[in-house]
Amino acid sequence: QVQLVESGGGLVEPGGSLRLSCAASGSIFSYAMGWYRQAPGKQRELVASITIRSTTDYADSVKGRFTIRRDNAKNTVYLQMDSLKPEDTAVYYCNAVQYAVMRTYWGQGTQVTVSS
């Protein structure tokens, strides 16, 4: 079992940048990782994902602005967010999937607010 802790959220102006971190309590070598977000009154949506072999995928709304990266040596996954828009305001959640047993883990979330 792995525990996930997100950090790096905060308040930024439109056009600004933030880097979110997801620190795992153990090795993430065998996990596919992802970032989800949920705004008030909206469904949780997948923002970005990265496989064990570092293949990435992004939601159309963030493509070209967000970058997901994994550092297996540090047991950490990052989400670099550039050119932020007010529409990006949400709670961002880290997700891990252990494919060997198809087990899913979630972090507690970190708030990202882009002022308008």
Side-chain angles (χ1 to χ4, degrees), residues 53-91:
R53 291 186 173 271
S54 296
T55 299
T56 59
D57 194 23
Y58 300 91
D60 289 339
S61 59
V62 307
K63 193 170 298 182
R65 299 188 297 119
F66 290 10
T67 303
I68 187 171
R69 180 177 66 86
R70 65 189 297 151
D71 188 337
N72 291 339
K74 295 183 177 180
N75 298 329
T76 302
V77 176
Y78 305 94
L79 183 67
Q80 178 67 44
M81 304 185 294
D82 298 321
S83 302
L84 283 163
K85 305 175 180 179
E87 306 90 89
D88 296 318
T89 297
V91 177

Side-chain angles (χ1 to χ4, degrees), residues 31-50:
Y31 293 81
M33 308 295 296
W35 285 96
Y36 289 72
R37 69 185 182 187
Q38 186 168 26
K42 297 184 178 180
Q43 294 184 340
R44 186 173 299 187
E45 64 174 343
L46 176 64
V47 176
S49 64
I50 184 167

